[in-house]
Amino acid sequence: MALPKPFSRLRRALRPSKQLTISGFTLLELLVAMIVSSIVVSGLLYLVVELLKTDRRESVLDQTQRDMQRAIDYIGDDIREAVFLYDDPSVLSTQITDLPSGATPILAFWRPDPITNGLPICSTAFSGDPTKLNQCEVLRVRQSAYSLVMYLQKPKDGNANWPGKSRIIRYKLDKYKNLANLESTPGYRDPASQGVSFRSWTRLGASTAGNSSVLVDFVDEPVPSSPLASPPSCTHLGAGYSLVPSTASTTNTSFFSCIRNPNAVDGGGGNQDAYLFLRGNIDGAGSGLGPIGRDSALPTLETRVLMRGVIDKNPAN
């Protein structure tokens, strides 16, 4: 008995197939797909890494430039309070015996430092010492004492704490080592005392004992790797300005200044001024930055500072 056509088609559909059909990828196709995907992923990872390096490089450049700006502002504020600024700081190199080795003096000046705390009651502490009693009473009136401040540049020397091309060091020689008993700092001589002047100042004794601290790192190398097209000069500022250090036209081109000679200011009785120049360099900031090359050097910062303090100023000037 024959089945109706719909049932016949159903039976054929349910009947097992004699030939099993298998579909999928061959081993060669899988290998090709893996190679292509690896190339694509590697390219994307490379781009991501380069973008991260570029971002970090720009971040370090920005941070270093801000550090340079803060440093030059700090130095400018320091000079602004000075009463005498040397137009040749190298004259003090033979007088200060404890300067950091290998460092070049760039700036040197005298400034009054306020003394508001630590001074004892004069009549009680120095009743048996007329000299210190008088000194203490003068301090209570003046409320300040002169300090010698120097800024020096030291090239990279292998110290892991300071990996930059060079760093700026601030040296300070205070008048007192211990204010409570008016103990003077070794080597200090008061430039305002009788027979002593700021310009011709010499130390007292055989050696000095000041304090040194690093102001900022990652300053560009003192000696340029190639001759400069436009060496530093102060001639455009007019007469009376000295390039400090004097060798800045060939060396120390990353931190130098133009200082007006004290005798060129209103016959020696006016306010000195100075132009400061500072350039940073991020070379040495870290291996993660990759090759930096010429992009490591930063633009040179420049500022002008007018001293507030003067010695023997003529009010008519």
Side-chain angles (χ1 to χ4, degrees), residues 123-140:
S123 57
T124 302
F126 308 110
S127 57
D129 189 338
T131 301
K132 285 194 173 182
L133 176 61
N134 179 67
Q135 188 177 357
C136 180
E137 290 174 345
V138 170
L139 276 177
R140 283 207 168 273

Side-chain angles (χ1 to χ4, degrees), residues 80-153:
R80 196 168 285 111
E81 301 299 325
V83 295
F84 184 86
L85 179 62
Y86 289 88
D87 56 345
D88 183 10
S90 63
V91 299
L92 295 175
S93 299
T94 58
Q95 297 300 321
I96 307 299
T97 61
D98 58 331
L99 291 178
S101 61
T104 302
I106 308 295
L107 295 165
F109 52 90
W110 289 92
R111 57 160 292 166
D113 277 339
I115 297 178
T116 56
N117 298 317
L119 193 63
I121 299 175
C122 301
S123 57
T124 302
F126 308 110
S127 57
D129 189 338
T131 301
K132 285 194 173 182
L133 176 61
N134 179 67
Q135 188 177 357
C136 180
E137 290 174 345
V138 170
L139 276 177
R140 283 207 168 273
V141 174
R142 291 183 176 177
Q143 293 289 299
S144 66
Y146 290 119
S147 297
L148 175 64
V149 178
M150 297 182 69
Y151 285 94
L152 309 100
Q153 185 177 16

Side-chain angles (χ1 to χ4, degrees), residues 216-229:
V216 68
D217 194 14
F218 294 105
V219 179
D220 201 8
E221 57 187 343
V223 181
S225 55
S226 59
L228 300 176

